Amino acid sequence: MDKNLHALFAPENIAIVGASSNPQKAGYTILENLKNIGYPKKIFPINKFEKRLSGIPCFEKLSQIPDTVELVVLITPSEMIFEVMEDLSKRMEDKGDVKVIVCAAANYGETKTEQGIARQNCLVDTAKKYNIRLVGPNCIGVIDNINRVDTTFVETLLPKQSRGKKGGISFISQSGAVAASILMMGASQPAPISMNKFISIGNMADVDFIDLLEYFEQDIDTHVIGLYLEGYQEGKKLMETMARITRKKPIVVLKVGRSEIGAKAANSHTGSLAGSDAVYDGAFRQFGVIRVETIEELLDTLQAFDQCVLPKGNRIFILSQAGGPGIYCTDSFVAQKNLEFPKVCSKTKELLAECLPDMANICSPEGYADITAAANVKHHIESLRIVLEDTSVDGVIFITVVPTFLPQKELAEELVKLLKEKNVSKDKPVYICIMAGNYVWQAREILEKNGIRTYDTPVDCVKAASHMVTYHQFLQSRGEDGNEQIFE
Amino acid sequence: MDKNLHALFAPENIAIVGASSNPQKAGYTILENLKNIGYPKKIFPINKFEKRLSGIPCFEKLSQIPDTVELVVLITPSEMIFEVMEDLSKRMEDKGDVKVIVCAAANYGETKTEQGIARQNCLVDTAKKYNIRLVGPNCIGVIDNINRVDTTFVETLLPKQSRGKKGGISFISQSGAVAASILMMGASQPAPISMNKFISIGNMADVDFIDLLEYFEQDIDTHVIGLYLEGYQEGKKLMETMARITRKKPIVVLKVGRSEIGAKAANSHTGSLAGSDAVYDGAFRQFGVIRVETIEELLDTLQAFDQCVLPKGNRIFILSQAGGPGIYCTDSFVAQKNLEFPKVCSKTKELLAECLPDMANICSPEGYADITAAANVKHHIESLRIVLEDTSVDGVIFITVVPTFLPQKELAEELVKLLKEKNVSKDKPVYICIMAGNYVWQAREILEKNGIRTYDTPVDCVKAASHMVTYHQFLQSRGEDGNEQIFE
C-alpha cells in the first residue's frame, strides 16, 4: 500500500490553500465540511487577506505553517498555481512533510489549452519532484468517514450523526458532478448513506483508478467498491486489477460512453478514450464486475452488497402484501434471467395457510405469495419467517404498501427484530420495499437506521437481488465462497 | 356520457356506510378525506353506534336520510352486504335517488369462494335492479380534485392547497395497492401531483375500463389518461376504444403480466385473463398508446403530457451543466431509438460561445453542450434561450447539478421567467433535471409550483421526451396535429 496515498485518507494535519469567508465560494464549504465532519487534527486555512476563518487562524503561505502538514488542498484560481507551487517547493526543501495534494480547482489540462496544460505540468512536476501524490486537478476531492476527512465542496446536508458512521462502501468517480449527485442523493435517503472512502479523481494527473483500486483492495474497512467510469487509457491493466480484486470484494461499475455519441462526449469531457464499450462489457462479465445502468441502481447495489449477506443460490421468493405490486415485481423478476422462483415444501405452504388471512394467495405461481391488504403486522412478520426457514429459499423480496390502517412504526420495528434474530436471515438476504412515497418514510427510516436497506420500488429490489446472485455465481465459478472473506 | 356515472365525480350528497370513529379503520379515513378535500355538499355517515362522527350527525340506515343521496360508499364488513342492500332497496323504492355505489370493501368475488361470489351477486343484482352504477368491490375508491370528491382510504399527506388544484391527468387503476402507491408517490414530489380524476376499479363488477375511458374521452378537463392494467376480458373492445381516444388525447399505460408467471399471478389476483402480452404490445404500438415500464415512468410521462407542449419533431438538444451527467444522458438518449440530436446553425454556436465560459463544450458531439461547473445563472438561462431559438431544435433536455456556489433559488426563478416568456418555449418542450437529491428541493419546488415538471434523473427526462415524440409521430402518421386539440 502506498504510504503517501494513505495520507490522503488519514493525514496528519491539512492545509487549505484558497480557504474563503464567502459562502458562495468552494473554499468556504471545504473548510466548513472539514470542521463538520469532525476532523480530529489541525486545519490550516491559507488566505492572504483574512486573520481567521471560521474561528481558525489563517496563514499567508504554506511555507509559514510551523506544524507538520501532510495533505494540501488547493482551491485557488488556477492562474496562481505557479506561485503556490513555488511556495510549496520552499516548504518541501525546508520540512519535506507534504505527502498528498488534492487540487479541487478546475481550468487545467482538461481545457486542452496551452495555458491549462502548462498549469497542470507545473503542478505535476512539483509533486513528482518531492514525491508528493496528486489527486485531480478538476475534482471535488476526498471523503473518509472513518478518519473524518472531507475536502469536498459539496454541501450534502448529511446530518452530523451520519458523518463518521461506519460503512463498507468505497467509491471512485471520474466526474465531479456525478460524484456530487451521488453524495447528495445518498444523503437524501431515509437513513443517509455513509461512504467509507469517496474520491473524485478529476483529470487523474497522478492518482488514478488503479492506485485507488489497489488501495481499496488492501483496505479492510472497504467491503465493496463502486466506480463511475468514463474511460481509461490502460484498459488492460485496469481489467487485470479488477479481475484480481473481484475474487475478494465485489466491484460495481457505472460505465458511461456506451454509445458512439456518448463516447465522443466523454472524450470531450475528460479527454479519456472511452474504448469500445463492448470490450469493457465483455471483460466486466468475465471478471465478475457488476455493471449497473443508472445512478439509483448503483447506490442500491452498493448498499445491498454492503448490508446484506450474499445469497447462496438464485432462488428468491416474492412475498407481497398486495397483488398489483407483486405482479409488477414478478415481471421484472422474470426479465432478470438469472433469478428463479423457489418451490417451497408442502409444510411451508401449510404453515403459510395457517398463519395468513383466508384471502391470501399462497404459491400461485410457485415462489410467490400475496398476503393481501387484510394482513396485519403479525401476518407480515410470521409469513416472512416461515418463508426464510424453507431450505429451498435463498433470499426474499418483501413488498408492502402500508395501508392507512396498518401501524407502520410497529411493522418496521418487528421487521428489525426478526431480521436481527440469530439464524433467521443469517445466510439469506431480504430485499425490502415499502412503496408509498413519503407516507412510509418513518418505517423506512427505522429499518435503515438499523442497517437494513429499503428500496424505492419492487424493481429496485429485483435488480439488487439479481446483481448479488450474479456475483455469487461468479465466485462459485471461480471456486471461491465469497461470504466468509467479504462479510466477516 | 352516462349521467349516472357522472354522479361518481360530482354527486349531490354522499353517504358513507361503515363510517368509523377509529383512526385504524378505513371508514374513518374516508370521512376525513372527504372533509379535507372540501367536498361542498352534504356528507352522511352511517353508523349504528355513533351519534356524530367528525362533528357530522350519523344515521343508522341509508333509508333514513331525508336529503337526496346520489353516491353511496360502502366500507362495511362484507358479511353485512345483504342487510345493507335490503335497506338500499327500501330507499330506492321510496326515493330512487342513488346513482352510484362505490364498494371499497374487499372479500367479494375476488376470493372465488361461494360466499364471496354470493355477496358480489347480491350487490350487483341490487344495483342493476335500480339502475345504479357500481364501482368495485375491492377497490380504494374515487377522487375528483375539481369537484372535490375523495372516497379513498389512502392518507396521501397531500397538502390542503394541492387538493382541488387543476390538473389534466385522469387515471384508472386495476390494483388498489398500485393506486395507493401512485397517490402517495405523487404526493411526495417537490410540488405534489393533483390528479384530475382518479379511480381504483377493483373487481369491475359493473363499471370497467371502457365505461371510464369513454367518460374521460368526453371530459374536457381530462388532457391525458393513465391506466394501470392487469388484464381485461374484452381486449378487442378495449383496443377499439383506445384507438378512437388516442387520436384526441394521449393514453399512457402500465400493463403488467408481461411474463407468463406474471400473467398467472395476475389471474390469481383480479381473476382477469391477462391475454397474450405480445398482442397487447402490438396493439398499443399500432394505436398510439404509450406503454411505460415502471410506476415512476408512468408518473413522469403523464405529467410531461399534461404540462409540456407536444414537440413538433424528434430533434432534442441536451444542454448540461456538467460533463458526466451529460454523457450519462447521451447514452440513454441514443438507446431510445426515436430521438435525434439536432444540428444547430453556426450562428447558434457562435452565440453560445460568446455567452458561455471558455471551458464550455459547444456541440461536440452535435446537439450537445456542456456549459461546465463555471456556469452562473445567466449562463444557464441565456444558453437555454439561444438553443430554444434555433429552428432545428424541437425540444431541450436541460440538466444541472447545482453546485454549492450557484444560488439555486435564483436559478429556478430565472428559469420560470424564461419559460413563461411568450414564444420562448411555445412549441418546444423543456425537460428539466436538477440532480442532487434533497439539496435542490427548493429549486425544484419553485419550478413545479409554476407548472414546470422537474425529473429526478437525466434518464427520466429522456424517457418522457421519447414518449412525447412517439405520440407526436403517431398523430402525424394519422394526419392529425394533436397540439391544438389537446393543449388548447
Side-chain angles (χ1 to χ4, degrees):
Chain A
M1 197 184 284
D2 184 320
K3 273 191 187 159
N4 277 15
L5 202 53
H6 188 62
L8 179 62
F9 302 106
E12 187 70 25
N13 307 332
I14 301 175
I16 307 170
V17 186
S20 169
S21 60
N22 178 355
Q24 303 283 306
K25 297 259 183 182
Y28 173 86
T29 314
I30 292 175
L31 181 55
E32 288 304 307
N33 278 349
L34 253 182
K35 280 184 63 187
N36 286 338
I37 202 172
Y39 174 63
K41 311 226 165 144
K42 287 186 187 163
I43 307 171
F44 302 107
I46 312 285
N47 184 312
K48 283 182 189 170
F49 310 102
E50 308 274 354
K51 281 246 150 36
R52 301 179 82 87
L53 281 171
S54 199
I56 307 173
C58 288
F59 287 85
E60 265 189 51
K61 293 175 172 186
L62 270 175
S63 56
Q64 292 170 348
I65 303 168
D67 301 69
T68 297
V69 172
E70 286 193 344
L71 173 60
V72 172
V73 180
L74 299 181
I75 190 65
T76 44
S78 57
E79 299 77 30
M80 293 175 60
I81 194 64
F82 304 100
E83 187 186 316
V84 175
M85 286 301 104
E86 207 184 306
D87 183 52
L88 175 66
S89 301
K90 187 160 174 270
R91 179 173 189 98
M92 291 306 283
E93 300 290 346
D94 256 23
K95 300 198 169 256
D97 51 355
V98 177
K99 292 186 173 164
V100 189
I101 296 169
V102 170
C103 183
N107 209 10
Y108 285 84
E110 80 281 5
T111 61
K112 288 172 200 145
T113 60
E114 207 178 302
Q115 294 99 322
I117 293 166
R119 287 190 286 262
Q120 184 156 324
N121 286 342
C122 168
L123 186 58
V124 171
D125 293 346
T126 311
K128 206 170 270 173
K129 182 172 174 192
Y130 296 106
N131 200 25
I132 301 171
R133 299 305 306 261
L134 166 68
V135 175
N138 187 25
C139 70
I140 65 161
V142 171
I143 297 175
D144 183 321
N145 276 308
I146 310 291
N147 294 305
R148 297 178 177 270
V149 175
D150 182 352
T151 76
T152 74
F153 48 89
V154 178
E155 203 179 284
T156 56
L157 309 181
L158 207 61
K160 219 157 188 171
Q161 68 273 25
S162 295
R163 293 178 170 273
K165 206 176 71 176
K166 199 172 158 67
I169 303 167
S170 289
F171 195 85
I172 313 166
S173 177
Q174 200 168 1
S175 154
V178 169
S181 268
I182 287 172
L183 286 175
M184 287 163 163
M185 285 168 68
S188 305
Q189 294 179 175
I193 185 176
S194 180
M195 297 274 180
N196 189 300
K197 296 177 179 63
F198 187 93
I199 299 191
S200 149
I201 49 174
N203 294 358
M204 295 193 285
D206 171 26
V207 172
D208 68 4
F209 280 114
I210 290 176
D211 292 312
L212 292 165
L213 281 168
E214 287 178 346
Y215 190 90
F216 294 158
E217 179 182 9
Q218 303 295 329
D219 180 38
I220 53 161
D221 291 328
T222 295
H223 301 141
V224 50
I225 300 168
L227 257 73
Y228 166 82
L229 175 68
E230 294 187 358
Y232 187 72
Q233 305 280 4
E234 297 173 81
K236 189 159 175 285
K237 199 173 161 203
L238 181 66
M239 285 306 167
E240 282 166 2
T241 309
M242 286 186 167
R244 192 179 65 237
I245 296 173
T246 50
R247 295 183 147 233
K248 290 178 268 182
K249 304 178 183 190
I251 300 177
V252 182
V253 176
L254 176 63
K255 153 88 178 60
V256 296
R258 277 176 183 271
S259 56
E260 208 181 307
I261 299 175
K264 193 170 173 195
N267 185 26
S268 295
H269 183 225
T270 35
S272 57
L273 291 167
S276 158
D277 191 77
V279 172
Y280 272 103
D281 204 64
F284 288 153
R285 265 174 230 280
Q286 187 184 344
F287 300 128
V289 175
I290 303 299
R291 183 175 193 172
V292 294
E293 286 188 31
T294 67
I295 294 176
E296 305 87 290
E297 192 183 342
L298 178 71
L299 279 167
D300 281 340
T301 307
L302 287 170
Q303 289 174 89
F305 275 113
D306 190 34
Q307 299 182 355
C308 285
V309 292
L310 205 60
K312 297 282 189 210
N314 69 341
R315 298 163 306 170
I316 311 290
F317 197 98
I318 297 180
L319 188 67
S320 178
Q321 174 262 347
I327 303 160
Y328 178 58
C329 185
T330 300
D331 277 351
S332 79
F333 187 101
V334 174
Q336 302 295 328
K337 303 294 182 198
N338 67 342
L339 299 180
E340 264 181 45
F341 285 99
K343 283 200 172 118
V344 299
C345 63
S346 53
K347 180 74 189 158
T348 295
K349 290 182 190 178
E350 278 165 33
L351 289 171
L352 284 171
E354 271 170 41
C355 143
L356 289 172
D358 287 347
M359 289 187 276
N361 162 3
I362 296 162
C363 297
S364 169
E366 291 287 347
Y368 171 94
D370 170 8
I371 68 175
T372 81
N376 59 24
V377 171
K378 193 158 171 271
H379 295 133
H380 279 80
I381 301 300
E382 287 313 308
S383 58
L384 178 54
R385 180 197 297 277
I386 292 165
V387 169
L388 280 169
E389 280 173 354
D390 191 289
T391 52
S392 70
V393 171
D394 297 315
V396 177
I397 292 173
F398 178 87
I399 304 163
T400 181
V401 180
V402 179
T404 315
F405 39 85
L406 192 78
Q408 61 171 290
K409 184 165 175 278
E410 189 189 328
L411 174 66
E413 286 167 351
E414 292 298 319
L415 272 172
V416 170
K417 241 189 250 170
L418 178 74
L419 297 178
K420 297 273 174 189
E421 253 180 52
K422 217 181 152 187
N423 293 327
V424 165
S425 64
K426 190 172 65 87
D427 55 1
K428 298 183 181 183
V430 178
Y431 305 92
I432 296 177
C433 171
I434 308 181
M435 52 184 301
N438 289 347
Y439 177 71
V440 290
W441 201 257
Q442 186 192 23
R444 293 183 63 180
E445 206 174 356
I446 291 168
L447 283 155
E448 294 202 352
K449 283 194 168 164
N450 280 283
I452 300 161
R453 170 80 179 139
T454 63
Y455 300 82
D456 284 344
T457 73
V459 177
D460 298 335
C461 290
V462 167
K463 285 186 180 161
S466 171
H467 287 314
M468 289 189 80
V469 164
T470 298
Y471 186 61
H472 160 76
Q473 288 167 337
F474 166 76
L475 289 183
Q476 270 205 323
S477 74
R478 287 290 183 282
E480 320 262 354
D481 179 356
N483 251 352
E484 280 61 39
Q485 284 155 280
I486 310 160
F487 307 95
E488 303 127 57
Chain B
M1 198 184 283
D2 184 321
K3 273 191 187 158
N4 276 15
L5 201 53
H6 187 63
L8 179 62
F9 302 106
E12 187 69 27
N13 305 332
I14 301 174
I16 306 170
V17 186
S20 169
S21 60
N22 178 353
Q24 302 283 305
K25 297 259 182 185
Y28 172 87
T29 313
I30 292 175
L31 181 57
E32 288 302 307
N33 278 350
L34 254 181
K35 280 184 63 187
N36 286 338
I37 201 172
Y39 174 62
K41 310 225 163 144
K42 288 186 186 162
I43 308 171
F44 302 108
I46 312 285
N47 184 312
K48 282 184 189 169
F49 310 102
E50 307 275 353
K51 280 247 151 35
R52 303 179 80 86
L53 281 172
S54 199
I56 307 172
C58 288
F59 287 87
E60 264 188 50
K61 293 175 170 185
L62 270 175
S63 56
Q64 292 170 349
I65 303 168
D67 299 69
T68 297
V69 172
E70 286 193 344
L71 174 60
V72 172
V73 181
L74 301 181
I75 190 67
T76 46
S78 58
E79 299 78 30
M80 292 175 62
I81 194 65
F82 303 101
E83 187 187 314
V84 174
M85 285 300 105
E86 207 184 306
D87 183 51
L88 175 66
S89 300
K90 189 157 172 275
R91 179 172 189 100
M92 291 307 282
E93 298 291 345
D94 257 22
K95 300 199 168 255
D97 53 354
V98 177
K99 292 184 173 166
V100 189
I101 295 169
V102 171
C103 183
N107 209 10
Y108 286 85
E110 81 280 5
T111 60
K112 287 174 199 145
T113 60
E114 207 179 303
Q115 293 100 321
I117 293 166
R119 287 191 286 260
Q120 186 156 320
N121 285 343
C122 168
L123 184 60
V124 171
D125 293 345
T126 311
K128 205 171 269 174
K129 183 172 174 193
Y130 296 106
N131 200 26
I132 300 170
R133 299 305 307 262
L134 166 68
V135 174
N138 188 25
C139 72
I140 65 160
V142 170
I143 297 175
D144 183 322
N145 276 309
I146 310 292
N147 295 304
R148 296 177 176 271
V149 175
D150 183 351
T151 77
T152 73
F153 48 88
V154 178
E155 203 179 286
T156 56
L157 308 183
L158 206 59
K160 220 158 189 172
Q161 67 274 22
S162 294
R163 294 177 170 272
K165 205 177 70 175
K166 200 173 158 66
I169 304 166
S170 289
F171 195 87
I172 313 166
S173 177
Q174 201 169 1
S175 154
V178 169
S181 268
I182 287 173
L183 286 175
M184 287 162 164
M185 283 168 68
S188 306
Q189 294 178 175
I193 186 174
S194 180
M195 298 275 180
N196 190 300
K197 296 177 180 64
F198 187 93
I199 299 190
S200 149
I201 49 175
N203 294 359
M204 294 194 284
D206 172 26
V207 172
D208 67 3
F209 280 113
I210 290 177
D211 293 311
L212 292 165
L213 281 169
E214 287 178 345
Y215 190 91
F216 293 158
E217 180 182 9
Q218 302 295 328
D219 180 39
I220 53 161
D221 290 329
T222 295
H223 302 142
V224 51
I225 300 168
L227 257 74
Y228 166 82
L229 176 68
E230 294 187 359
Y232 186 72
Q233 304 281 4
E234 298 172 79
K236 191 161 174 282
K237 201 174 159 204
L238 181 66
M239 285 305 166
E240 283 166 2
T241 309
M242 286 186 168
R244 194 179 64 239
I245 296 173
T246 50
R247 294 183 147 234
K248 292 177 270 184
K249 304 178 183 190
I251 300 177
V252 182
V253 176
L254 176 63
K255 154 87 176 60
V256 296
R258 276 176 185 270
S259 55
E260 207 181 307
I261 299 174
K264 192 169 174 193
N267 186 26
S268 296
H269 182 225
T270 36
S272 58
L273 292 166
S276 157
D277 191 78
V279 172
Y280 272 103
D281 204 63
F284 289 153
R285 264 175 229 279
Q286 187 183 343
F287 299 127
V289 174
I290 304 299
R291 184 175 194 173
V292 294
E293 285 188 32
T294 66
I295 294 176
E296 305 87 289
E297 192 183 343
L298 178 71
L299 279 166
D300 281 339
T301 306
L302 288 170
Q303 289 174 92
F305 274 113
D306 190 35
Q307 299 182 355
C308 285
V309 291
L310 206 59
K312 299 281 188 210
N314 71 341
R315 298 164 305 171
I316 310 292
F317 196 99
I318 297 179
L319 187 67
S320 178
Q321 174 262 349
I327 303 160
Y328 179 57
C329 185
T330 299
D331 277 351
S332 78
F333 187 101
V334 174
Q336 302 296 328
K337 303 292 180 196
N338 68 341
L339 299 180
E340 264 182 42
F341 285 99
K343 283 202 172 118
V344 299
C345 65
S346 54
K347 180 75 190 159
T348 296
K349 290 181 191 178
E350 278 165 33
L351 288 170
L352 284 172
E354 270 171 44
C355 141
L356 289 172
D358 287 347
M359 287 186 276
N361 161 4
I362 295 164
C363 297
S364 171
E366 291 286 346
Y368 171 94
D370 170 7
I371 69 176
T372 80
N376 60 23
V377 172
K378 193 158 171 270
H379 295 133
H380 278 80
I381 302 299
E382 287 313 307
S383 59
L384 178 55
R385 180 197 297 277
I386 292 164
V387 168
L388 279 169
E389 280 172 357
D390 191 290
T391 53
S392 70
V393 171
D394 297 314
V396 177
I397 292 172
F398 178 88
I399 304 163
T400 180
V401 181
V402 179
T404 315
F405 39 85
L406 193 76
Q408 60 170 290
K409 184 164 173 278
E410 190 190 327
L411 175 67
E413 286 166 350
E414 291 298 319
L415 271 172
V416 171
K417 244 190 246 170
L418 177 73
L419 297 178
K420 296 274 175 191
E421 254 180 51
K422 216 181 152 188
N423 295 326
V424 165
S425 65
K426 191 173 62 88
D427 56 1
K428 298 183 181 182
V430 178
Y431 305 92
I432 296 177
C433 171
I434 308 182
M435 52 185 298
N438 289 347
Y439 177 71
V440 291
W441 201 256
Q442 186 191 23
R444 295 184 63 180
E445 205 174 358
I446 291 168
L447 283 155
E448 294 203 352
K449 285 197 168 160
N450 280 283
I452 300 161
R453 170 80 179 138
T454 62
Y455 300 83
D456 284 344
T457 72
V459 177
D460 298 336
C461 289
V462 168
K463 285 187 180 162
S466 171
H467 288 315
M468 290 190 81
V469 164
T470 298
Y471 186 62
H472 161 76
Q473 288 167 336
F474 166 75
L475 289 182
Q476 271 204 323
S477 74
R478 287 290 183 281
E480 321 260 354
D481 178 354
N483 251 351
E484 280 63 36
Q485 283 155 281
I486 310 160
F487 307 94
E488 303 126 56

